[in-house]
Amino acid sequence: MEQNRIVHIVSPKGKPQENCGLVPDDLKISSMTAPVAIIMGSQSDWATMKNATDTLTALGIAYEARIVSAHRTPERLYAFAKSAKAEGFRIIIAGAGGAAHLPGMTAALTELPVFGVPIESKALSGVDSLYSIVQMPAGIPVGTLAIGKAGAVNAALLAASVLALNDAALAERLAAWRTKQTDAVNERPEDQA
Ligand code: RP5
């Protein structure tokens, strides 16, 4: 089994950061600053957003995960979004559910690309989250993914594609990841145990 190690990312201000990604030992991280910030509105979003972190980990991309609520911690949101670019983040993945303002508010406060993940809500199965995130008026874009796990995984893959434009080694890892996925699809269905 592949051994993982915790990569402690050090911010430009020299502060050790927590909740960083685990990467396989044989992968080298090119930057000491995590390029991807994963934010979510609540602890209850973590089960979904963990799928984004798992995908980044599989691709050797460092991340930092934080709870930032547009409703309950608006000042934390403001402080995070206003400093995200200076901190060295390059992409923000934001997951939120219900009246999901987090991705749009974040995008309004930073020039970094923001990818939104609609969390599957109990009341409306995530359709509320989807509409809240996807229907941004012209001028402030949020790249919106699918509801739930698929959206979290794809947000990470989309982030990887963007970062791979300037990172040949990552581009190779992403291509290998896709080849592995393709190879895993049988030509014919079979009974599952
Ligand atoms: C949103 O409210 C969060 O993103 C979460 O999806 C939803 C419910 O939050 P909890 O009541 O479970 O904390 O802000």
Side-chain angles (χ1 to χ4, degrees), residues 41-42 44-45 71-72 95-97 119:
S42 169
S44 65
D45 299 333
H71 314 278
R72 295 168 180 153
I119 300 295

Side-chain angles (χ1 to χ4, degrees), residues 4 25 35 41 48 50 54 58 66 79 99 120 124 129-130 133 138 154 159 161-162 177-178 186-187:
N4 286 326
D25 259 341
T48 300
K50 194 167 183 331
D54 289 347
R66 296 185 191 173
E120 188 172 339
L124 295 170
S129 322
L130 174 66
I133 296 173
N154 281 345
S161 295
V162 173
W177 190 95
R178 291 177 73 141
N186 290 339
E187 289 212 26

Side-chain angles (χ1 to χ4, degrees), residues 109-185:
L109 290 164
T110 180
E111 291 155 16
L112 292 174
V114 176
F115 299 144
V117 178
I119 300 295
E120 188 172 339
S121 57
K122 284 189 188 126
L124 295 170
S125 305
V127 174
D128 47 349
S129 322
L130 174 66
Y131 284 177
S132 298
I133 296 173
V134 78
Q135 284 300 109
M136 285 298 288
I140 300 294
V142 172
T144 307
L145 286 301
I147 297 169
K149 177 179 176 181
V153 170
N154 281 345
L157 292 172
L158 198 52
S161 295
V162 173
L163 294 171
L165 292 171
N166 291 305
D167 185 336
L170 174 57
E172 272 183 34
R173 297 201 294 276
L174 185 56
W177 190 95
R178 291 177 73 141
T179 300
K180 196 172 159 193
Q181 173 173 249
T182 299
D183 292 346
V185 180

